């Protein structure tokens, strides 16, 4: 896949940067309500994974805090993907995973890009793109969205 240039102030990572390059379709971004929903899904997935023993408390707690910040709108500028992309929502799911992982790393005292919290192994634990991005991505529904 090769190296990617990521802006120094970015919380997203290489997967999101690749998707930005691969899907420059409409310049429309996801609305606040959608990003909020993603944050809440990731927050409650981390709480569930912690309860089931799949995430240890320090990592789970950091993911929960970072995901709550996403839900509250603190990181909306880090959701840089076009709403039109592949059908499964993998790129959008990875955008959320990368933002939440990098913010959680900071909350744990690390630096963005370190893998104290991994986007797939921790944030996306026991999940997949279609869990976070259900069939609301269908074209008829997207055509009703209006740019803000």
């Amino acid at each position: 896949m090769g190296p990617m240039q990521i802006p120094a102030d970015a919380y997203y990572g290489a997967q999101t940067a690749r998707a930005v390059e691969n899907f420059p379709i409409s310049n429309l971004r996801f609305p606040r309500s959608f990003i909020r929903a993603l944050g809440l899904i990731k927050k409650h997935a981390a709480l569930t994974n912690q309860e089931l023993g799949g995430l240890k408390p320090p990592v789970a707690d950091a993911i929960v805090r970072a995901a709550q910040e996403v839900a509250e709108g603190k990181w909306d500028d880090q959701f840089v993907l076009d709403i039109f992309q592949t059908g499964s929502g993998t790129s959008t799911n990875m955008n959320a995973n990368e933002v939440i992982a990098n913010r959680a790393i900071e909350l744990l005292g690390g630096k963005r890009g370190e893998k104290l919290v991994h986007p797939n192994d921790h944030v996306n634990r026991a999940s997949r793109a279609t869990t976070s991005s259900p069939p609301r991505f269908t074209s008829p529904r997207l055509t009703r969205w209006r740019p803000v």
Side-chain angles (χ1 to χ4, degrees), residues 99-118:
V99 170
I100 293 167
N102 276 313
R103 179 58 183 140
I105 290 164
E106 287 183 337
L107 293 169
L108 290 170
K111 292 186 169 108
R112 278 179 266 164
E114 294 177 350
K115 296 302 180 202
L116 295 170
V117 180
H118 194 278

Side-chain angles (χ1 to χ4, degrees), residues 23-52:
F23 304 108
I25 298 168
S26 73
N27 289 322
L28 295 174
R29 301 293 176 254
F30 286 93
R32 164 97 284 278
S33 59
F34 185 88
I35 297 169
R36 179 180 184 278
L38 271 177
L40 292 174
I41 289 167
K42 297 297 182 176
K43 173 185 175 179
H44 289 282
L47 288 167
T48 301
N49 281 317
Q50 181 180 12
E51 184 178 322
L52 294 173

